[in-house]
Amino acid sequence: MTVALLLILVSALAGLATGFTYRVWALILISPLIALFAAIILHIYEFGLIAGVTIITACLVVSELAYLAATYLMHRREISLQDEIDGAPGEQSEQSVRRQHK
């Protein structure tokens, strides 16, 4: 059980690190590496097929959720519902938009 929790924790840390440093395309490379690493560790500790697949799936899900959390934390200031509600620019004004005289 400790091995499974440790693998899930390492997967979450890998997802956070990927989210803070790379774009979403990095998950294409990171996810198979996480699955392969987890499969090797679980095989060494003689986990069964069903338990191994369940733990690997949990590792991948936790990794991707951690990636989403990291990217949300990085870009939360750019996401504003007030811009959609009132139509006025947020904290970052729209400098490249010029007035249109018709």
Side-chain angles (χ1 to χ4, degrees):
M1 189 67 175
T2 305
V3 173
L5 292 176
L6 188 62
L7 284 173
I8 292 171
L9 177 67
V10 168
S11 298
L13 292 176
L16 281 174
T18 305
F20 283 125
T21 54
Y22 299 108
R23 293 185 183 264
V24 70
W25 302 110
L27 287 177
I28 294 172
L29 299 174
I30 298 298
S31 294
L33 291 176
I34 289 172
L36 183 65
F37 177 73
I40 290 170
I41 297 298
L42 292 172
H43 182 70
I44 290 171
Y45 284 95
E46 299 177 353
F47 276 76
L49 178 67
I50 300 299
V53 170
T54 304
I55 294 169
I56 291 171
T57 303
C59 288
L60 292 174
V61 168
V62 166
S63 171
E64 292 181 14
L65 288 175
Y67 175 85
L68 288 174
T71 54
Y72 174 75
L73 289 175
M74 284 183 54
H75 301 290
R76 68 178 170 205
R77 292 183 189 261
E78 297 170 9
I79 301 171
S80 174
L81 294 177
Q82 291 177 347
D83 290 343
E84 296 296 326
I85 293 172
D86 64 4
E91 294 175 9
Q92 299 173 344
S93 62
E94 300 171 11
Q95 297 294 331
S96 62
V97 178
R98 296 183 184 175
R99 289 188 172 214
Q100 296 177 359
H101 298 286
K102 291 183 180 183

